[in-house]
Amino acid sequence: TVVKKGLACEKEAVYFLCRFDPEQVRLSHEHTEAHLASIEEVETLIPHEGMREVFRKALARVAGRP
């Protein structure tokens, strides 16, 4: 539950893992830039611990760890 402007709202986030060719990245009209970060850099870029934990779990899954 997230509280915004004094109102409680249910929030669900969905993340997708994918592989891609960095040379093929094309931005839509909604974006002005892209940044491909190293695994080490990602930890410093993600602002919230909960999101960092999602990243760590995704990384473990890609690496074949439970």
Side-chain angles (χ1 to χ4, degrees):
T1 302
V2 176
V3 178
K4 189 169 185 173
K5 295 184 180 180
L7 299 173
C9 303
E10 292 298 316
K11 178 180 178 182
E12 179 181 25
V14 178
Y15 299 92
F16 297 93
L17 294 176
C18 67
R19 295 178 191 265
F20 64 94
D21 178 353
E23 297 296 321
Q24 298 297 317
V25 173
R26 300 290 180 266
L27 300 179
S28 73
H29 69 280
E30 297 176 334
H31 301 91
T32 58
E33 63 182 276
H35 175 77
L36 302 178
S38 68
I39 291 171
E40 296 78 17
E41 185 183 10
V42 170
E43 288 277 340
T44 65
L45 295 173
I46 300 174
H48 305 290
E49 180 56 34
M51 291 175 67
R52 286 191 293 273
E53 185 60 28
V54 169
F55 168 73
R56 291 181 199 119
K57 288 179 180 180
L59 184 60
R61 183 168 183 105
V62 169
R65 299 187 308 263

